[in-house]
Amino acid sequence: MRDMPANKENSPDSSNRSGYFRKTTSGYKAFFPNSLPPEPVVVLSGALQLQLSAADRALGALNMVISVLPNPELLTGMFIQKEALLSSQIEGTQSSLVDVLGAEEAHPPTKDVGEVLNYVRAARHGLKRLKEDDLPLCLRLIKEMHHILMADVRGGSANLTPGEFRTMQNWVGGSSPANARFVPPPASELPQLLGDFEQYSNLHNDMPPLIQCALLHYQFETLHPFNDGNGRVGRLLITLYLVSKGILDQPILYLSAYLKIHQQEYYDRLQQVRTHGTFEKWIAFFLEGIEVVSQMVIDTTRRVQLLERTDIDAIVAAGAGSQGIGFIRLMLQQPVVQVKDVEQALAVSFSTANKIIALAEQLGIVQQISQGRRNRKYIYKHYVDILAEGTEITF
Protein backbone atom coordinates (compact mmCIF):
# COMPACT_ATOMS: atom_id res chain seq x y z
CA MET A 1 0.00 0.00 0.00
CA ARG A 2 1.33 3.46 -0.89
CA ASP A 3 2.12 5.84 1.89
CA MET A 4 -0.72 8.40 2.06
CA PRO A 5 -0.87 11.71 3.91
CA ALA A 6 -2.49 11.70 7.31
CA ASN A 7 -4.59 14.78 6.58
CA LYS A 8 -6.01 16.81 3.70
CA GLU A 9 -4.68 20.23 4.57
CA ASN A 10 -2.30 20.39 1.62
CA SER A 11 -4.93 19.77 -1.04
CA PRO A 12 -6.49 22.88 -2.66
CA ASP A 13 -9.77 20.97 -2.86
CA SER A 14 -11.24 19.13 0.09
CA SER A 15 -12.63 16.30 -2.01
CA ASN A 16 -9.13 14.97 -2.88
CA ARG A 17 -10.70 13.23 -5.84
CA SER A 18 -7.48 13.15 -7.84
CA GLY A 19 -4.93 12.90 -5.04
CA TYR A 20 -3.06 14.91 -2.43
CA PHE A 21 -0.47 17.65 -2.30
CA ARG A 22 1.92 16.87 0.52
CA LYS A 23 5.12 18.38 1.83
CA THR A 24 8.05 16.00 1.42
CA THR A 25 10.95 15.55 3.81
CA SER A 26 12.98 17.83 1.51
CA GLY A 27 10.60 20.69 2.24
CA TYR A 28 8.73 21.08 -1.09
CA LYS A 29 5.20 19.97 -1.91
CA ALA A 30 4.69 17.13 -4.35
CA PHE A 31 1.49 15.67 -5.74
CA PHE A 32 0.53 12.12 -4.74
CA PRO A 33 -2.10 11.01 -7.27
CA ASN A 34 -4.79 8.47 -6.63
CA SER A 35 -4.83 5.50 -8.99
CA LEU A 36 -7.43 5.31 -11.76
CA PRO A 37 -10.38 5.29 -12.07
CA PRO A 38 -11.33 8.42 -10.14
CA GLU A 39 -13.73 8.26 -7.22
CA PRO A 40 -16.44 9.39 -7.44
CA VAL A 41 -16.58 7.98 -10.95
CA VAL A 42 -16.68 10.20 -14.03
CA VAL A 43 -20.22 11.44 -14.58
CA LEU A 44 -21.29 11.38 -18.21
CA SER A 45 -23.71 14.28 -17.97
CA GLY A 46 -25.87 15.33 -20.90
CA ALA A 47 -23.27 17.75 -22.28
CA LEU A 48 -20.37 15.34 -21.82
CA GLN A 49 -22.34 12.48 -23.34
CA LEU A 50 -23.10 14.62 -26.39
CA GLN A 51 -19.39 15.50 -26.70
CA LEU A 52 -18.48 11.82 -26.45
CA SER A 53 -20.99 10.94 -29.16
CA ALA A 54 -19.63 13.69 -31.42
CA ALA A 55 -16.05 12.44 -30.96
CA ASP A 56 -17.13 8.84 -31.67
CA ARG A 57 -18.92 9.91 -34.86
CA ALA A 58 -15.91 11.95 -35.98
CA LEU A 59 -13.57 8.99 -35.53
CA GLY A 60 -16.04 6.76 -37.36
CA ALA A 61 -16.11 9.16 -40.29
CA LEU A 62 -12.32 9.34 -40.26
CA ASN A 63 -11.99 5.56 -40.34
CA MET A 64 -14.46 5.43 -43.23
CA VAL A 65 -12.53 7.97 -45.30
CA ILE A 66 -9.22 6.18 -44.75
CA SER A 67 -10.75 2.75 -45.47
CA VAL A 68 -11.64 3.70 -49.06
CA LEU A 69 -8.17 5.01 -49.94
CA PRO A 70 -6.37 2.75 -52.43
CA ASN A 71 -3.05 3.21 -50.59
CA PRO A 72 -3.75 4.43 -47.03
CA GLU A 73 -0.17 3.72 -45.98
CA LEU A 74 1.01 6.63 -48.14
CA LEU A 75 -0.81 9.14 -45.96
CA THR A 76 -0.34 7.21 -42.72
CA GLY A 77 3.41 7.74 -42.82
CA MET A 78 3.00 11.46 -43.44
CA PHE A 79 0.47 11.87 -40.65
CA ILE A 80 2.78 10.10 -38.18
CA GLN A 81 5.50 12.58 -39.13
CA LYS A 82 3.11 15.50 -38.70
CA GLU A 83 2.09 14.32 -35.23
CA ALA A 84 5.76 13.83 -34.34
CA LEU A 85 6.58 17.37 -35.43
CA LEU A 86 3.62 18.98 -33.66
CA SER A 87 4.20 17.07 -30.43
CA SER A 88 7.87 18.06 -30.46
CA GLN A 89 6.97 21.69 -31.17
CA ILE A 90 4.82 21.72 -28.02
CA GLU A 91 8.06 20.96 -26.14
CA GLY A 92 9.91 23.80 -27.85
CA THR A 93 11.50 22.05 -30.84
CA GLN A 94 12.17 24.56 -33.63
CA SER A 95 12.00 22.59 -36.87
CA SER A 96 9.66 22.62 -39.85
CA LEU A 97 8.04 19.84 -41.83
CA VAL A 98 10.39 20.56 -44.73
CA ASP A 99 13.38 20.15 -42.36
CA VAL A 100 12.08 16.74 -41.30
CA LEU A 101 11.11 15.52 -44.78
CA GLY A 102 14.42 16.67 -46.23
CA ALA A 103 16.62 15.01 -43.60
CA GLU A 104 19.22 12.70 -45.10
CA GLU A 105 20.59 9.54 -43.53
CA ALA A 106 24.02 10.40 -44.94
CA HIS A 107 24.24 13.55 -42.82
CA PRO A 108 23.49 13.77 -39.09
CA PRO A 109 20.29 15.77 -38.54
CA THR A 110 20.19 18.85 -36.36
CA LYS A 111 19.24 18.30 -32.73
CA ASP A 112 15.67 19.47 -33.27
CA VAL A 113 15.13 17.45 -36.43
CA GLY A 114 16.71 14.43 -34.72
CA GLU A 115 14.12 14.64 -31.94
CA VAL A 116 11.27 14.56 -34.44
CA LEU A 117 12.78 11.65 -36.36
CA ASN A 118 13.20 9.75 -33.10
CA TYR A 119 9.54 10.34 -32.31
CA VAL A 120 8.61 8.84 -35.68
CA ARG A 121 10.84 5.82 -35.02
CA ALA A 122 9.37 5.38 -31.53
CA ALA A 123 5.81 5.56 -32.88
CA ARG A 124 6.52 3.01 -35.60
CA HIS A 125 8.24 0.73 -33.10
CA GLY A 126 5.25 0.90 -30.76
CA LEU A 127 2.77 0.20 -33.55
CA LYS A 128 4.83 -2.72 -34.82
CA ARG A 129 5.02 -4.25 -31.34
CA LEU A 130 1.26 -3.88 -30.89
CA LYS A 131 0.29 -5.29 -34.26
CA GLU A 132 2.99 -7.78 -35.22
CA ASP A 133 4.25 -8.92 -31.82
CA ASP A 134 0.82 -8.81 -30.14
CA LEU A 135 2.30 -6.93 -27.20
CA PRO A 136 -0.19 -5.09 -24.95
CA LEU A 137 0.18 -1.44 -24.07
CA CYS A 138 2.52 -2.10 -21.16
CA LEU A 139 5.37 -0.52 -19.20
CA ARG A 140 7.91 -2.58 -21.13
CA LEU A 141 6.72 -1.11 -24.43
CA ILE A 142 6.62 2.41 -23.00
CA LYS A 143 10.25 2.09 -21.90
CA GLU A 144 11.28 0.74 -25.29
CA MET A 145 9.69 3.72 -27.04
CA HIS A 146 11.28 6.16 -24.60
CA HIS A 147 14.69 4.66 -25.27
CA ILE A 148 14.25 5.28 -29.01
CA LEU A 149 12.80 8.75 -28.45
CA MET A 150 15.73 9.94 -26.34
CA ALA A 151 18.59 8.39 -28.32
CA ASP A 152 21.47 10.71 -29.35
CA VAL A 153 19.56 13.98 -28.96
CA ARG A 154 18.55 16.38 -26.21
CA GLY A 155 17.98 14.33 -23.06
CA GLY A 156 19.85 11.37 -24.51
CA SER A 157 22.79 11.56 -22.10
CA ALA A 158 23.33 8.66 -19.74
CA ASN A 159 22.43 10.59 -16.60
CA LEU A 160 18.88 11.02 -17.94
CA THR A 161 18.51 7.23 -18.31
CA PRO A 162 16.78 6.77 -21.68
CA GLY A 163 14.39 3.85 -21.48
CA GLU A 164 14.37 3.77 -17.69
CA PHE A 165 11.93 5.26 -15.22
CA ARG A 166 13.32 8.00 -13.04
CA THR A 167 14.86 7.34 -9.64
CA MET A 168 14.96 10.98 -8.55
CA GLN A 169 12.55 13.88 -8.22
CA ASN A 170 11.65 15.91 -11.31
CA TRP A 171 9.42 18.95 -11.72
CA VAL A 172 7.63 21.09 -14.31
CA GLY A 173 8.43 24.80 -14.60
CA GLY A 174 10.67 26.79 -12.28
CA SER A 175 14.29 26.19 -11.37
CA SER A 176 13.70 23.69 -8.56
CA PRO A 177 10.85 21.78 -6.86
CA ALA A 178 10.52 24.67 -4.40
CA ASN A 179 9.30 27.11 -7.10
CA ALA A 180 7.99 24.67 -9.71
CA ARG A 181 4.57 24.92 -11.29
CA PHE A 182 4.01 21.23 -10.65
CA VAL A 183 5.97 18.56 -8.76
CA PRO A 184 5.05 14.95 -9.67
CA PRO A 185 5.09 12.19 -7.06
CA PRO A 186 8.49 11.17 -5.64
CA ALA A 187 10.26 8.31 -7.39
CA SER A 188 9.56 6.00 -4.46
CA GLU A 189 5.84 6.17 -5.32
CA LEU A 190 6.27 5.24 -8.99
CA PRO A 191 6.43 1.42 -8.88
CA GLN A 192 2.96 1.10 -7.34
CA LEU A 193 1.44 3.91 -9.41
CA LEU A 194 2.92 2.68 -12.70
CA GLY A 195 1.73 -0.83 -11.97
CA ASP A 196 -1.77 0.51 -11.43
CA PHE A 197 -1.46 2.57 -14.64
CA GLU A 198 -0.51 -0.50 -16.67
CA GLN A 199 -3.38 -2.50 -15.21
CA TYR A 200 -5.92 0.24 -15.96
CA SER A 201 -4.64 0.68 -19.53
CA ASN A 202 -5.54 -2.94 -20.28
CA LEU A 203 -8.70 -3.07 -18.17
CA HIS A 204 -11.89 -4.20 -19.88
CA ASN A 205 -14.78 -2.37 -18.26
CA ASP A 206 -17.86 -0.34 -19.06
CA MET A 207 -15.92 2.92 -19.36
CA PRO A 208 -16.00 4.22 -22.97
CA PRO A 209 -12.51 3.85 -24.51
CA LEU A 210 -12.19 7.55 -25.34
CA ILE A 211 -12.89 8.45 -21.69
CA GLN A 212 -10.38 5.86 -20.55
CA CYS A 213 -7.84 7.28 -23.03
CA ALA A 214 -8.30 10.81 -21.66
CA LEU A 215 -7.81 9.53 -18.11
CA LEU A 216 -4.68 7.59 -19.06
CA HIS A 217 -3.09 10.61 -20.70
CA TYR A 218 -3.81 12.74 -17.65
CA GLN A 219 -2.37 10.08 -15.35
CA PHE A 220 0.80 9.59 -17.38
CA GLU A 221 1.50 13.31 -17.49
CA THR A 222 0.85 13.50 -13.75
CA LEU A 223 3.20 10.62 -12.93
CA HIS A 224 5.90 12.11 -15.20
CA PRO A 225 7.80 8.84 -14.87
CA PHE A 226 10.85 9.75 -16.97
CA ASN A 227 13.52 12.38 -16.43
CA ASP A 228 12.69 13.90 -19.81
CA GLY A 229 10.38 13.26 -22.76
CA ASN A 230 7.21 12.70 -20.72
CA GLY A 231 5.01 15.00 -22.81
CA ARG A 232 5.99 13.38 -26.09
CA VAL A 233 5.62 9.84 -24.76
CA GLY A 234 2.26 10.73 -23.19
CA ARG A 235 0.90 12.08 -26.46
CA LEU A 236 2.31 9.12 -28.38
CA LEU A 237 0.38 6.82 -26.04
CA ILE A 238 -2.91 8.43 -27.13
CA THR A 239 -2.50 7.16 -30.69
CA LEU A 240 -1.24 3.76 -29.58
CA TYR A 241 -4.11 3.30 -27.17
CA LEU A 242 -6.75 4.15 -29.79
CA VAL A 243 -5.14 1.78 -32.31
CA SER A 244 -4.77 -1.00 -29.72
CA LYS A 245 -8.47 -0.74 -28.84
CA GLY A 246 -9.56 -0.76 -32.48
CA ILE A 247 -11.01 2.75 -32.17
CA LEU A 248 -8.60 4.04 -34.81
CA ASP A 249 -7.90 1.83 -37.83
CA GLN A 250 -4.68 3.66 -38.74
CA PRO A 251 -2.38 5.95 -36.67
CA ILE A 252 -3.53 9.06 -38.51
CA LEU A 253 -4.87 11.28 -35.71
CA TYR A 254 -2.41 14.12 -35.09
CA LEU A 255 -4.10 15.31 -31.88
CA SER A 256 -1.10 17.50 -31.09
CA ALA A 257 -2.45 19.94 -33.70
CA TYR A 258 -5.27 20.79 -31.28
CA LEU A 259 -3.07 20.63 -28.19
CA LYS A 260 -0.56 23.01 -29.78
CA ILE A 261 -3.24 25.58 -30.68
CA HIS A 262 -4.65 25.38 -27.14
CA GLN A 263 -1.35 24.72 -25.40
CA GLN A 264 -1.90 26.84 -22.31
CA GLU A 265 -5.41 25.51 -21.82
CA TYR A 266 -4.03 21.98 -22.27
CA TYR A 267 -1.60 22.50 -19.40
CA ASP A 268 -4.20 24.31 -17.29
CA ARG A 269 -6.82 21.57 -17.71
CA LEU A 270 -4.37 18.92 -16.56
CA GLN A 271 -3.33 21.00 -13.57
CA GLN A 272 -6.93 21.72 -12.58
CA VAL A 273 -7.61 17.99 -12.34
CA ARG A 274 -4.77 17.76 -9.80
CA THR A 275 -5.81 20.77 -7.80
CA HIS A 276 -9.60 20.49 -7.98
CA GLY A 277 -10.45 17.04 -9.34
CA THR A 278 -12.10 18.42 -12.50
CA PHE A 279 -11.84 15.21 -14.54
CA GLU A 280 -15.00 15.97 -16.51
CA LYS A 281 -13.68 19.33 -17.77
CA TRP A 282 -10.42 17.76 -18.88
CA ILE A 283 -12.30 14.96 -20.66
CA ALA A 284 -14.57 17.46 -22.45
CA PHE A 285 -11.47 19.34 -23.68
CA PHE A 286 -9.86 16.07 -24.82
CA LEU A 287 -13.00 14.91 -26.66
CA GLU A 288 -13.36 18.25 -28.41
CA GLY A 289 -9.78 17.83 -29.63
CA ILE A 290 -10.59 14.37 -30.99
CA GLU A 291 -13.59 15.75 -32.87
CA VAL A 292 -11.79 18.79 -34.28
CA VAL A 293 -8.68 16.94 -35.41
CA SER A 294 -10.66 14.08 -36.93
CA GLN A 295 -12.33 16.63 -39.20
CA MET A 296 -8.92 18.19 -39.94
CA VAL A 297 -7.58 14.81 -41.05
CA ILE A 298 -10.66 14.16 -43.21
CA ASP A 299 -10.33 17.57 -44.89
CA THR A 300 -6.60 17.10 -45.44
CA THR A 301 -7.12 13.63 -46.90
CA ARG A 302 -9.72 14.86 -49.37
CA ARG A 303 -7.52 17.75 -50.48
CA VAL A 304 -4.60 15.39 -50.99
CA GLN A 305 -6.81 13.03 -53.02
CA LEU A 306 -7.87 15.93 -55.27
CA LEU A 307 -4.26 17.07 -55.68
CA GLU A 308 -3.18 13.52 -56.56
CA ARG A 309 -5.85 13.17 -59.25
CA THR A 310 -5.12 16.61 -60.70
CA ASP A 311 -1.35 16.09 -60.89
CA ILE A 312 -1.60 12.55 -62.27
CA ASP A 313 -3.91 13.80 -65.03
CA ALA A 314 -1.50 16.65 -65.82
CA ILE A 315 1.70 14.59 -65.95
CA VAL A 316 0.09 11.74 -67.92
CA ALA A 317 -1.37 14.21 -70.41
CA ALA A 318 2.10 15.72 -70.80
CA GLY A 319 3.44 12.37 -71.96
CA ALA A 320 4.83 10.65 -68.84
CA GLY A 321 2.42 7.70 -69.04
CA SER A 322 2.39 5.12 -66.26
CA GLN A 323 5.77 6.34 -65.05
CA GLY A 324 4.12 9.66 -64.26
CA ILE A 325 1.53 7.90 -62.09
CA GLY A 326 4.31 6.10 -60.23
CA PHE A 327 6.19 9.36 -59.80
CA ILE A 328 3.24 11.17 -58.19
CA ARG A 329 2.62 8.26 -55.83
CA LEU A 330 6.30 8.22 -54.92
CA MET A 331 6.09 11.93 -54.11
CA LEU A 332 3.08 11.30 -51.86
CA GLN A 333 5.19 8.87 -49.87
CA GLN A 334 8.46 10.81 -50.07
CA PRO A 335 7.75 14.49 -50.80
CA VAL A 336 11.42 15.47 -50.99
CA VAL A 337 13.48 13.47 -53.51
CA GLN A 338 16.67 13.40 -55.52
CA VAL A 339 16.96 11.99 -59.04
CA LYS A 340 18.49 8.78 -57.67
CA ASP A 341 15.37 8.22 -55.50
CA VAL A 342 13.13 8.34 -58.57
CA GLU A 343 15.53 6.14 -60.50
CA GLN A 344 15.42 3.45 -57.80
CA ALA A 345 11.71 3.67 -56.95
CA LEU A 346 10.49 3.53 -60.56
CA ALA A 347 13.24 1.16 -61.76
CA VAL A 348 14.19 3.47 -64.62
CA SER A 349 17.47 4.88 -65.88
CA PHE A 350 18.98 8.00 -64.33
CA SER A 351 18.31 9.84 -67.58
CA THR A 352 14.62 8.85 -67.58
CA ALA A 353 14.24 9.82 -63.91
CA ASN A 354 15.78 13.18 -64.71
CA LYS A 355 13.33 13.72 -67.59
CA ILE A 356 10.32 12.86 -65.40
CA ILE A 357 11.44 15.35 -62.76
CA ALA A 358 12.09 18.03 -65.38
CA LEU A 359 8.58 17.51 -66.77
CA ALA A 360 7.06 17.70 -63.27
CA GLU A 361 9.04 20.87 -62.61
CA GLN A 362 7.84 22.39 -65.88
CA LEU A 363 4.23 21.61 -64.86
CA GLY A 364 4.75 23.26 -61.46
CA ILE A 365 4.29 19.98 -59.59
CA VAL A 366 7.77 19.96 -58.00
CA GLN A 367 10.30 22.66 -57.19
CA GLN A 368 14.05 22.43 -56.74
CA ILE A 369 15.03 23.39 -53.20
CA SER A 370 18.80 22.82 -53.32
CA GLN A 371 21.56 24.92 -54.82
CA GLY A 372 23.71 23.90 -57.79
CA ARG A 373 23.46 21.01 -60.22
CA ARG A 374 24.77 18.13 -58.06
CA ASN A 375 22.60 16.10 -55.70
CA ARG A 376 19.62 18.30 -56.47
CA LYS A 377 16.57 18.03 -54.19
CA TYR A 378 13.00 18.50 -55.32
CA ILE A 379 9.90 19.04 -53.20
CA TYR A 380 6.26 18.27 -53.91
CA LYS A 381 5.38 21.75 -52.71
CA HIS A 382 1.58 21.84 -52.97
CA TYR A 383 1.39 18.54 -51.10
CA VAL A 384 3.79 19.68 -48.38
CA ASP A 385 1.90 22.97 -48.05
CA ILE A 386 -1.27 21.00 -47.26
CA LEU A 387 0.47 18.74 -44.76
CA ALA A 388 2.35 21.61 -43.11
CA GLU A 389 -0.76 23.56 -42.10
CA GLY A 390 -0.63 24.09 -38.35
CA THR A 391 3.07 23.23 -38.06
CA GLU A 392 4.36 26.72 -38.78
CA ILE A 393 7.00 27.90 -36.31
CA THR A 394 6.01 31.04 -34.41
CA PHE A 395 8.32 33.17 -32.32
Side-chain angles (χ1 to χ4, degrees), residues 62-236:
L62 175 56
N63 285 329
M64 180 64 69
V65 167
I66 296 300
S67 71
V68 299
L69 293 179
N71 297 295
E73 65 278 359
L74 296 182
L75 279 179
T76 297
M78 290 298 103
F79 289 160
I80 289 175
Q81 292 190 67
K82 182 166 184 174
E83 167 61 20
L85 177 61
L86 288 163
S87 185
S88 299
Q89 286 180 345
I90 290 174
E91 302 301 323
T93 297
Q94 297 293 317
S95 56
S96 69
L97 187 60
V98 174
D99 294 332
V100 175
L101 296 175
E104 297 180 68
E105 292 183 4
H107 299 88
T110 64
K111 178 188 68 176
D112 282 358
V113 171
E115 288 188 355
V116 180
L117 295 178
N118 277 1
Y119 189 110
V120 173
R121 295 185 188 108
R124 288 176 173 159
H125 176 82
L127 291 162
K128 178 180 180 295
R129 295 283 270 155
L130 287 175
K131 291 185 175 182
E132 298 181 17
D133 301 336
D134 201 27
L135 196 69
L137 193 58
C138 59
L139 299 181
R140 173 185 172 187
L141 179 56
I142 291 171
K143 290 166 72 173
E144 288 178 6
M145 292 189 298
H146 183 263
H147 189 273
I148 295 170
L149 181 75
M150 306 307 293
D152 302 323
V153 291
R154 182 179 65 189
S157 57
N159 66 312
L160 289 179
T161 59
E164 297 296 332
F165 295 126
R166 61 182 169 89
T167 57
M168 61 187 74
Q169 185 66 65
N170 58 0
W171 63 91
V172 178
S175 57
S176 72
N179 60 18
R181 183 186 183 204
F182 171 65
V183 181
S188 59
E189 300 288 309
L190 285 179
Q192 175 72 46
L193 287 164
L194 284 168
D196 293 344
F197 174 88
E198 181 180 56
Q199 182 178 12
Y200 186 74
S201 68
N202 292 284
L203 186 67
H204 299 284
N205 57 20
D206 294 332
M207 182 71 72
L210 286 181
I211 304 295
Q212 195 168 354
C213 185
L215 293 174
L216 284 167
H217 181 70
Y218 155 76
Q219 190 77 347
F220 187 88
E221 296 306 313
T222 296
L223 296 181
H224 241 59
F226 296 109
N227 286 311
D228 194 14
N230 293 287
R232 282 166 288 166
V233 174
R235 288 185 289 275
L236 176 53

Side-chain angles (χ1 to χ4, degrees), residues 242-376:
L242 295 177
V243 171
S244 72
K245 295 296 182 182
I247 307 302
L248 200 58
D249 293 341
Q250 298 285 344
I252 51 177
L253 191 77
Y254 39 86
L255 188 61
S256 291
Y258 183 82
L259 300 179
K260 180 189 173 187
I261 294 170
H262 303 281
Q263 186 168 342
Q264 190 57 55
E265 184 178 1
Y266 170 42
Y267 293 151
D268 289 345
R269 291 292 185 191
L270 292 174
Q271 184 67 358
Q272 287 161 10
V273 177
R274 300 161 190 147
T275 58
H276 293 85
T278 53
F279 285 98
E280 286 79 8
K281 290 183 179 180
W282 155 248
I283 291 170
F285 173 79
F286 181 87
L287 293 175
E288 182 178 287
I290 295 287
E291 181 186 3
V292 169
V293 175
S294 293
Q295 189 57 55
M296 284 183 181
V297 178
I298 290 171
D299 291 343
T300 298
T301 300
R302 287 173 174 162
R303 291 167 64 195
V304 168
Q305 286 181 287
L306 177 60
L307 179 69
E308 178 186 11
R309 290 195 299 269
T310 301
D311 288 346
I312 283 178
D313 288 346
I315 201 166
V316 169
S322 61
Q323 292 173 344
I325 298 173
F327 174 74
I328 296 299
R329 288 181 176 159
L330 168 64
M331 297 303 295
L332 290 171
Q333 187 172 6
Q334 186 180 338
V336 177
V337 298
Q338 294 178 289
V339 178
K340 63 180 182 180
D341 299 318
V342 179
E343 175 189 12
Q344 292 170 3
L346 301 186
V348 297
S349 67
F350 187 89
S351 174
T352 298
N354 211 16
K355 289 177 181 177
I356 294 171
I357 290 178
L359 180 59
E361 187 175 21
Q362 181 182 344
L363 294 170
I365 294 173
V366 300
Q367 292 181 12
Q368 183 174 339
I369 57 172
S370 59
Q371 300 295 322
R373 297 185 58 82
R374 294 177 60 84
N375 300 319
R376 290 168 293 172

Side-chain angles (χ1 to χ4, degrees), residues 15-33:
S15 69
N16 297 302
R17 188 183 183 196
S18 57
Y20 302 84
F21 285 88
R22 185 176 64 184
K23 184 174 288 188
T24 67
T25 55
S26 299
Y28 56 83
K29 286 184 180 180
F31 185 63
F32 292 72

